[in-house]
Amino acid sequence: MPARTLLTAQARRSLEAFVARQLTYEQRIALINKWKNPPGASEQLRLERAERMVKQAVLRHEPFQGLDITVASKGSYPNNTNVRGDSDVDIMVKLNDPIHTEGLAAWWFGQPARYAGPWTRQKLRQEVEDALTNHFGWVDTDHNLAVYVPEVVGSRPSIDVVPCFKWVAYDTTVPGGEYVGSVVYGRNGKRVINWPELQLANGRTKNTNTKYRYKFVVRVLKNVENDLASEGVIKALPSYFSECLIYNVPDNVLLLDGSLDAVVRESLREVYQQLTGAWFSYLRMVEPNGIKKVFGEGQKWTEKDARELIERAWYYLNYES
């Protein structure tokens, strides 16, 4: 695992100022036992209320009547990897017909390549904006991908609502012959393909297989990242990034005998070894959906961000080399 001498002088000064109290073993154990838990009941109710309100807004919107449309939360909230005090809600409004795909499949199925119906990407976004405005009042429509519904303190968190289409990737080697996800088209013209259903299913399987330790460790790393970012020790990173890194920890590491503290330590060690291993082993790391690579074009983070997060997390938690 990284020695403290690997830190730059500036990073060392920032981190030493942050951990001047130097966590004792007892303090670290107390924090890990606190961090492993999901948000409390009252916070969970606010998250559920936000999801329910968006569903009501969309399903009551007259232009959506009779359409095959899915309104569902995605990200850390449904995956149960959200952390206390840092839980917003991401909700997709997914139109399932027409499907979107590419390559020969687009030519064969005629969608969207030859689609001539009314539901263009522009119309879908406009109708989602109208539905949310009618229900909530003012909403922020200036973001590239999502429509932002602001927080109401004490009632519900902020909500990012993503207008998207059903995306199908055909693969004869998998059960059913296809992967199903979603595609959102940004206002900048670029598209983003996500696989929320696969992320949900794979995360649940890994959590069950590791006796729930997978999501425990994800929440711990997310809380550490929040602390480090708030103090300027690292730049702020998407919470999903921590989930991606821990997903690549083998089940046998998460199932090690001993305390959760030991499992956190060995999980960080395993991630760091993958990041610094020979033959660019970090390029083989995959997101929890099992399809997308963690590092590569289009991602909001880099391998350097990952190394810095793990190095500083290791130092902050006061693990020995």
Side-chain angles (χ1 to χ4, degrees), residues 39-60:
S42 60
E43 190 170 351
Q44 185 68 22
L45 287 174
R46 290 193 291 273
L47 294 167
E48 293 172 357
R49 184 180 299 118
E51 181 179 18
R52 184 169 61 250
M53 292 178 74
V54 172
K55 286 183 177 179
Q56 292 172 349
V58 171
L59 298 179
R60 291 175 180 176

Side-chain angles (χ1 to χ4, degrees), residues 82-151:
N82 48 336
V83 300
R84 297 184 180 193
D86 187 32
S87 299
D88 56 3
V89 179
D90 296 314
I91 297 179
M92 63 178 177
V93 177
K94 183 170 68 173
L95 188 59
N96 296 305
D97 185 17
I99 63 168
H100 284 220
T101 186
E102 64 184 350
L104 290 176
W107 175 84
W108 181 260
F109 290 97
Q111 299 189 60
R114 298 200 303 270
Y115 176 72
W119 286 99
T120 63
R121 63 194 69 174
Q122 294 84 5
K123 178 174 175 58
L124 177 61
R125 183 179 181 90
Q126 185 61 59
E127 294 298 347
V128 169
E129 291 177 357
D130 291 347
L132 297 175
T133 301
N134 292 339
H135 191 85
F136 292 100
W138 181 85
V139 296
D140 187 351
T141 62
D142 290 336
H143 295 257
N144 182 43
L145 298 178
V147 181
Y148 177 77
V149 181
E151 175 186 12

Side-chain angles (χ1 to χ4, degrees), residues 162-197:
V162 180
C164 54
F165 292 89
K166 179 179 180 180
W167 179 267
V168 178
Y170 295 95
D171 186 340
T172 58
T173 66
V174 301
E178 63 184 29
Y179 293 107
V180 175
S182 64
V183 59
V184 55
Y185 297 94
R187 298 172 69 217
N188 62 3
K190 295 183 179 180
R191 75 182 187 195
V192 177
I193 299 170
N194 293 307
W195 309 94
E197 293 89 352

Side-chain angles (χ1 to χ4, degrees), residues 21 23 26-36 220 223 227 316-317:
R21 64 185 187 276
L23 292 180
E26 290 76 15
Q27 289 171 330
R28 185 176 72 233
I29 295 301
L31 281 175
I32 286 176
N33 286 331
K34 174 184 176 181
W35 286 337
K36 73 177 185 180
V220 169
N223 276 285
D227 281 2
Y316 171 43
L317 293 173

